[in-house]
Amino acid sequence: MKTALVAPSILSANFTHLGDDIKRIQEAGADWLHFDVMDGHFVPNISFGLPVLQGIAKTHNMVNDVHIMIDNPREYAQRFVEAGADYLTFHYEACGSDSEVFEVIDLIHKYGAKAGLSIKPKTPIEKVFPFLNSLDLVLIMSVEPGFGGQSFIRDSLGKILRLRNYIDENEIKTLIEVDGGINEQTARECKQMGVDVFVAGSYVFNAEDVKAAIRSLKI
């Protein structure tokens, strides 16, 4: 079983010392840097957008893992890729049809990034199956998107396992990422179900020993 990748979410960083926090997690062994982009419409919160990504993207050596929780991902895909996204993940629920999902995936690839698709906790995992051969990543939300610090939704474990089985049975290379309520215990359970990438916010950034927190997720 390969080692999991860790993608700390800057939503939990100290924005008055953001550069220092990013350097700290990189030195502690983080693989990716996760950006939670919220528009106040698709989810009931507003975070940050293109200028923050653009300002940070080239200041570190981690993968820029950008999750856009926004309406109209088709309209913004090119701009987020050009701002520095290496992976750009959008929501299935933000699209009006399967053809629109494919269109956004194609746009992301066209402009040079890897494409991810995310689903909210109440969306069946089977909804992503038709797109897997075109996707680089599926992000399973294990909390309701919009706010950090929520508790892990345990129904997510079954979703992860069903997705892992489908990917393996069909010899697909799409990565499985999980975000929400991740700590040492929930990560261990998710890893047993087949997760490749862990997004963690407060568990990493609020840890007394950041290196130990990241190491505990690389299981």
Side-chain angles (χ1 to χ4, degrees), residues 116-190:
L117 186 64
S118 185
I119 57 170
K120 293 181 178 181
K122 293 180 182 178
T123 300
I125 191 60
E126 289 75 17
K127 294 292 186 181
V128 309
F129 288 2
F131 313 107
L132 286 173
N133 283 308
S134 300
L135 288 168
D136 302 286
L137 179 147
V138 170
L139 171 55
I140 295 175
M141 292 301 301
S142 47
V143 297
E144 288 293 339
F147 296 92
Q150 299 179 63
S151 297
F152 181 82
I153 297 173
R154 298 198 61 78
D155 288 350
S156 306
L157 294 170
K159 281 186 173 182
I160 295 164
L161 182 59
R162 293 196 298 278
L163 178 59
R164 177 83 273 159
N165 288 340
Y166 187 92
I167 286 174
D168 290 348
E169 288 167 6
N170 291 278
E171 298 182 350
I172 301 169
K173 297 187 181 298
T174 308
L175 296 174
I176 301 174
E177 183 175 50
V178 64
D179 181 2
I182 296 300
N183 55 39
E184 182 176 5
Q185 177 59 38
T186 56
R188 190 170 300 280
E189 294 178 84
C190 289

Side-chain angles (χ1 to χ4, degrees), residues 18 25 76-77 80 107 138 156 204-205 207 210 215:
L18 186 55
I25 64 164
Y76 289 96
F80 275 101
L107 281 171
V138 170
S156 306
V204 169
F205 281 104
V210 172
R215 187 169 58 244

Side-chain angles (χ1 to χ4, degrees), residues 10 18 22 26 33 35 49-66 79-86:
I10 64 168
L18 186 55
I22 291 172
Q26 178 172 283
L33 186 63
F35 295 78
L50 290 160
V52 171
L53 172 61
Q54 191 168 24
I56 293 172
K58 295 181 180 180
T59 65
H60 61 87
N61 297 320
M62 296 173 284
V63 170
N64 291 307
D65 179 34
V66 182
R79 294 168 68 183
F80 275 101
V81 174
E82 291 176 345
D86 296 307

